[in-house]
């Protein structure tokens, strides 16, 4: 078996080919294009296993190399940095160290979702970009009105009828800001339509439709939360326990233990920030819709911290979502389940 380490960059890929004894057979650089990769693959010995660090460029390279190797693995960049730390660092050395980690089975491998899931995940994350831009434009409209001293109803400002009435009847709206207000409002409307189209297309997708409908039976879970769970989690079977899923979602802190001292830190930065954000937002509203989640929230809030209570609700929702996803059936409240069993 030959072990190939790849140090991936925007324009070039450094590679190192080693055998099981650690002897270097090939080293060099290849252009980061599909055509150059195809030519390079023909020069490699067989059988081979490849590994690379996770970067923004990893996805298409992984898909392109997968048919040409027995295995293609992707390494967690933070953990790999801890293993391969050294004074001297360059692309050639990095490729060699990745090959050594792969050869010695020390590679901190991270999960690589299927191409279908990654393509749809990209669409959902793009939707979040649209929402951020929409909020920025709404804030810009408010800012323009405040700059010129125009009084307005904050709750109704972004309603179509009220905004039109404001421009036509309020004499305080200066002529200099009217074109900017109209442009900002048109941008908000266009972003809203695009965002709705993206979410609708994902909900109707045959790969996701049944799974999303099941997840939406969980209390407090709407279309965005269900889509985020399905696309960010991917294959739910990779989590052996609820604790692993909670850790991946970034809903617990790090543990630092030494001798008989144990210290828990704030929320860990090693998490999937996309699913974390969605779950925390959903957990703020879920207690209003479900008695059990409201009880979890109130129990934790009595300890004096509302944020801690929200995280407890989010962790409970992860347990619900994981159970529904594993068993592939709709959520059943505990009281209904006990009544049916009796």
């Amino acid at each position: 078996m030959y072990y190939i380490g790849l140090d991936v960059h925007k324009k070039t890929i450094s590679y190192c080919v080693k055998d099981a004894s650690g002897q270097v057979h090939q080293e060099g650089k290849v252009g980061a294009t599909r055509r150059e990769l195809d030519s390079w693959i023909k020069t490699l010995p067989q059988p081979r296993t490849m590994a690379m660090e996770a970067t923004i460029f990893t996805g298409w390279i992984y898909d392109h190399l997968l048919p040409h190797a027995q295995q293609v693995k992707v390494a967690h960049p933070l953990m790999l940095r801890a293993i391969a730390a050294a004074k001297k660092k360059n692309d050639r050395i990095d490729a060699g160290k990745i090959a050594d980690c792969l050869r010695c089975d020390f590679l901190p491998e991270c999960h690589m979702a299927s191409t279908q899931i990654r393509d749809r995940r990209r669409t959902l994350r793009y939707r979040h970009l649209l929402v951020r831009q929409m909020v920025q434009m709404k804030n810009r409209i408010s800012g323009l009105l405040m700059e010129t001293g125009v009084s307005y109803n904050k709750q109704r400002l972004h309603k179509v009828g009220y905004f039109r009435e404001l421009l036509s009847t309020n004499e305080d709206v200066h002529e200099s800001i009217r074109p900017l207000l109209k442009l900002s409002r048109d941008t908000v409307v266009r972003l809203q339509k695009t965002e709705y189209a993206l979410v609708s297309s994902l909900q109707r997708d045959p790969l996701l439709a049944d799974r999303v409908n099941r997840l939406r039976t969980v209390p407090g879970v709407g279309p965005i939360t269900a889509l985020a769970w399905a696309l960010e989690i991917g294959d739910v079977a990779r989590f052996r326990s609820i604790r692993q899923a909670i850790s991946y979602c970034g809903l617990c802190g790090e543990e630092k233990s030494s001798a008989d001292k144990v210290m828990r830190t704030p929320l860990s930065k090693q998490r999937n920030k996309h699913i974390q954000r969605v779950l925390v937002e959903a957990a703020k509203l879920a207690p209003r819709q479900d008695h059990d989640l409201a009880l979890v929230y109130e129990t934790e809030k009595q300890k004096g911290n509302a944020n801690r209570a929200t995280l407890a609700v989010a962790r409970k929702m992860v347990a619900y979502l994981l159970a529904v996803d594993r068993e592939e059936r709709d959520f059943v409240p505990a009281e209904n389940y006990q009544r049916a069993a009796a």
Side-chain angles (χ1 to χ4, degrees), residues 224-226 228-229 273-283:
I224 302 303
T225 307
W229 176 271
K273 63 181 180 180
H274 304 283
I275 188 65
Q276 181 194 50
R277 181 190 66 250
V278 172
L279 285 171
V280 169
E281 291 299 321

Side-chain angles (χ1 to χ4, degrees), residues 170-187:
N170 195 319
E171 297 178 355
D172 293 336
V173 180
H174 198 272
E175 289 297 327
S176 64
I177 67 169
R178 285 180 181 272
L180 297 177
L181 289 172
K182 291 179 180 178
L183 177 61
S184 300
R185 179 61 198 175
D186 291 342
T187 303

